[in-house]
Amino acid sequence: MPCSMNRLSIFVDGNNMFYAQQKNGWFFDPRRVLEHFTNDPDVMLVNAFWYTGIKDPQDQRGFRDALISLGYTVRTKILKEYYDDNSGRYSQKANLDIEIVIDMFNTVEQYDRVVLFSGDGDFERAIELLRSKSTHITVVSTEGMIARELRNATDRYIDLNDIRPKIEKFDSQF
């Protein structure tokens, strides 16, 4: 593969991945994620983005600062509370999908390959458009949380559990 085809951008849908990791019963280390996807000396990481909902501007401050020190660009949005008439429960959601897609297309000239950590089917059309620009797309998620549409639109799907030994968090740094 020519060197120009090895410019990589990573996009992590933090909230989606939190629930995927919770479902699996283990969490990944953001540092090890970067190391895993850039362990080939021909791969050049050009961007790494992390998106997360926060309760207030100080929420997750230590974690966000640690991500920034690792080289991630961190995008946040204040969580909104929603009431579900069917269940009678409140839930919180940040909905950062549009921010992820904007960053993907705003930086599209900088990379040849994308690794998207999300199982959200809302990304299907964006992935299709990126692939039409000869971008290679890898989606990382987990069974039961990956939308069929997203899995079908991607070039490669990786289940979190398949790369667990390489990315699992072992310390309490984050």
Side-chain angles (χ1 to χ4, degrees):
M1 192 182 280
C3 200
S4 66
M5 288 302 291
N6 286 317
R7 299 175 302 158
L8 174 68
S9 284
I10 297 174
F11 298 87
V12 180
D13 181 345
N15 295 64
N16 186 281
M17 285 295 99
F18 174 79
Y19 292 112
Q21 293 171 94
Q22 199 173 45
K23 176 186 183 293
N24 286 336
W26 61 275
F27 288 83
F28 60 74
D29 180 334
R31 174 184 280 115
R32 294 187 77 199
V33 164
L34 294 178
E35 290 169 355
H36 175 68
F37 285 100
T38 61
N39 64 1
D40 180 336
D42 292 333
V43 171
M44 180 179 74
L45 181 67
V46 292
N47 291 305
F49 293 91
W50 193 288
Y51 304 83
T52 189
I54 56 174
K55 294 175 188 168
D56 59 62
Q58 294 307 311
D59 187 28
Q60 303 178 41
R61 172 61 72 193
F63 178 66
R64 290 185 286 135
D65 288 347
L67 288 171
I68 292 166
S69 73
L70 291 173
Y72 286 92
T73 298
V74 178
R75 304 267 194 243
T76 61
K77 189 185 272 188
I78 300 293
L79 291 164
K80 292 182 180 175
E81 198 166 80
Y82 296 92
Y83 180 74
D84 183 348
D85 288 329
N86 295 328
S87 70
R89 295 183 182 188
Y90 286 93
S91 62
Q92 293 183 327
K93 198 166 182 169
N95 248 348
L96 283 144
D97 297 357
I98 193 68
E99 286 78 3
I100 295 171
V101 170
I102 287 171
D103 284 337
M104 284 178 158
F105 282 92
N106 195 38
T107 61
V108 70
E109 299 302 325
Q110 299 173 18
Y111 59 78
D112 309 294
R113 295 171 41 206
V114 163
V115 176
L116 171 64
F117 280 75
S118 183
D120 193 332
D122 290 343
F123 293 113
E124 175 190 18
R125 185 67 179 128
I127 296 306
E128 288 173 350
L129 289 171
L130 287 172
R131 286 184 68 204
S132 75
K133 297 178 178 293
S134 299
T135 302
H136 184 275
I137 311 290
T138 298
V139 170
V140 181
S141 187
T142 199
E143 291 305 316
M145 297 198 71
I146 175 82
R148 180 180 298 127
E149 304 83 18
L150 182 60
R151 190 170 183 166
N152 289 339
T154 191
D155 290 301
R156 180 176 179 210
Y157 166 71
I158 299 174
D159 190 285
L160 279 168
N161 290 308
D162 292 342
I163 57 174
R164 179 179 181 173
K166 296 176 180 167
I167 67 169
E168 186 173 9
K169 178 176 77 167
F170 292 112
D171 58 35
S172 59
Q173 184 176 0
F174 297 104

